[in-house]
PDB file of all heavy atoms in Angstrom:
ATOM      1  N   GLY A  15      -0.672  15.168  -3.075  1.00  0.00           N
ATOM      2  CA  GLY A  15      -0.413  14.549  -1.782  1.00  0.00           C
ATOM      3  C   GLY A  15      -1.606  13.609  -1.544  1.00  0.00           C
ATOM      4  O   GLY A  15      -2.606  13.696  -2.151  1.00  0.00           O
ATOM      5  N   GLU A  34       2.961  -6.753  14.222  1.00  0.00           N
ATOM      6  CA  GLU A  34       3.443  -6.251  15.496  1.00  0.00           C
ATOM      7  C   GLU A  34       4.451  -7.225  16.099  1.00  0.00           C
ATOM      8  O   GLU A  34       5.526  -6.780  16.554  1.00  0.00           O
ATOM      9  CB  GLU A  34       2.309  -5.910  16.447  1.00  0.00           C
ATOM     10  CG  GLU A  34       2.772  -5.212  17.662  1.00  0.00           C
ATOM     11  CD  GLU A  34       1.607  -4.810  18.521  1.00  0.00           C
ATOM     12  OE1 GLU A  34       0.435  -4.639  18.064  1.00  0.00           O
ATOM     13  OE2 GLU A  34       1.849  -4.608  19.750  1.00  0.00           O
ATOM     14  N   LEU A  49      -7.064  -4.149  -4.515  1.00  0.00           N
ATOM     15  CA  LEU A  49      -7.341  -3.037  -5.429  1.00  0.00           C
ATOM     16  C   LEU A  49      -7.299  -1.750  -4.667  1.00  0.00           C
ATOM     17  O   LEU A  49      -7.926  -1.638  -3.609  1.00  0.00           O
ATOM     18  CB  LEU A  49      -8.726  -3.197  -6.121  1.00  0.00           C
ATOM     19  CG  LEU A  49      -9.207  -2.002  -6.885  1.00  0.00           C
ATOM     20  CD1 LEU A  49      -8.421  -1.822  -8.180  1.00  0.00           C
ATOM     21  CD2 LEU A  49     -10.717  -2.120  -7.175  1.00  0.00           C
ATOM     22  N   MET A  65     -18.553  -1.965  -4.777  1.00  0.00           N
ATOM     23  CA  MET A  65     -17.560  -2.954  -4.398  1.00  0.00           C
ATOM     24  C   MET A  65     -18.057  -3.782  -3.258  1.00  0.00           C
ATOM     25  O   MET A  65     -17.726  -5.038  -3.250  1.00  0.00           O
ATOM     26  CB  MET A  65     -16.261  -2.157  -4.003  1.00  0.00           C
ATOM     27  CG  MET A  65     -15.624  -1.503  -5.217  1.00  0.00           C
ATOM     28  SD  MET A  65     -14.265  -0.444  -4.672  1.00  0.00           S
ATOM     29  CE  MET A  65     -12.975  -1.690  -4.385  1.00  0.00           C
TER      30      MET A  65
END
Side-chain angles (χ1 to χ4, degrees):
E34 186 173 337
L49 169 72
M65 292 173 76

